[in-house]
Amino acid sequence: MNCWPVPKSHSRYLPCDGESGSFWEQRQDRFHCGVDIYAPQKSDIISIADGTVVDLGIFTSPSQVRYWNTTYYLVIANNGGTFFRYAELDDVAVEKGTAIQAGDFLGSVGQVLHIKKIDDTCPLYIRQLKEKKHTSMLHIEWHDRPLFPSKTYLGGNWFGTRKPEGLLDPTSLLESISD
Ligand SMILES: [Zn+2]
């Protein structure tokens, strides 16, 4: 059984083909590694599938990028052998090693963008998110192998033109569980 990860999301439409928040969206100097599901801050996030929490930590912070707030991420090794990274969380409700079933509460949606710090010097896609009031979301990635830190990855974006190995497009999977 698979569950839609943010029951209170603004919609269950999955952005695609370069739309804002879509997988591998080109953002000038970077590419988007996941799919963004917009939702009010503090909305519950639940697990898509059964698995185990294998990693968690800080995802964004104002010390990295001035218009970011502090948010968190966690990685779940799914029993099917793939990995989901749930990111841009306000808080994480589980611990490393916790066994998870689909539908279990994982944490809540964070407010990744610090609206008052977004100005004309910010990347275009950031200014557009502010205009659309899409400043809180679940950023979700899907991988076919364990995740490793990379110098070309920051805050859900890939600063290189070649897609990292093992990064999967979660759009179809999410669409299939959006009912
Ligand atoms: Zn994202």
Side-chain angles (χ1 to χ4, degrees), residues 10-76:
H10 295 310
S11 88
R12 297 194 177 191
Y13 174 77
L14 270 305
C16 56
D17 299 330
E19 288 175 332
S20 175
S22 61
F23 179 73
W24 212 242
E25 172 198 358
Q26 183 165 9
R27 297 171 158 177
Q28 293 165 294
D29 60 347
R30 65 199 75 173
F31 289 87
H32 188 221
C33 292
V35 170
D36 291 335
I37 299 172
Y38 305 109
Q41 187 179 13
K42 306 277 186 189
S43 299
D44 286 2
I45 296 168
I46 61 173
S47 185
I48 294 170
D50 297 350
T52 304
V53 180
V54 292
D55 191 19
L56 53 84
I58 291 177
F59 192 64
T60 60
S61 87
S63 66
Q64 295 168 312
V65 174
R66 65 186 164 77
Y67 53 82
W68 278 350
N69 289 316
T70 301
T71 67
Y72 301 88
Y73 75 93
L74 63 106
V75 177
I76 292 184

Side-chain angles (χ1 to χ4, degrees), residues 21 27 32-36 88 137-140 155-157:
R27 297 171 158 177
H32 188 221
C33 292
V35 170
D36 291 335
E88 304 186 6
M137 65 199 82
L138 170 67
H139 167 95
I140 189 149
N157 293 303

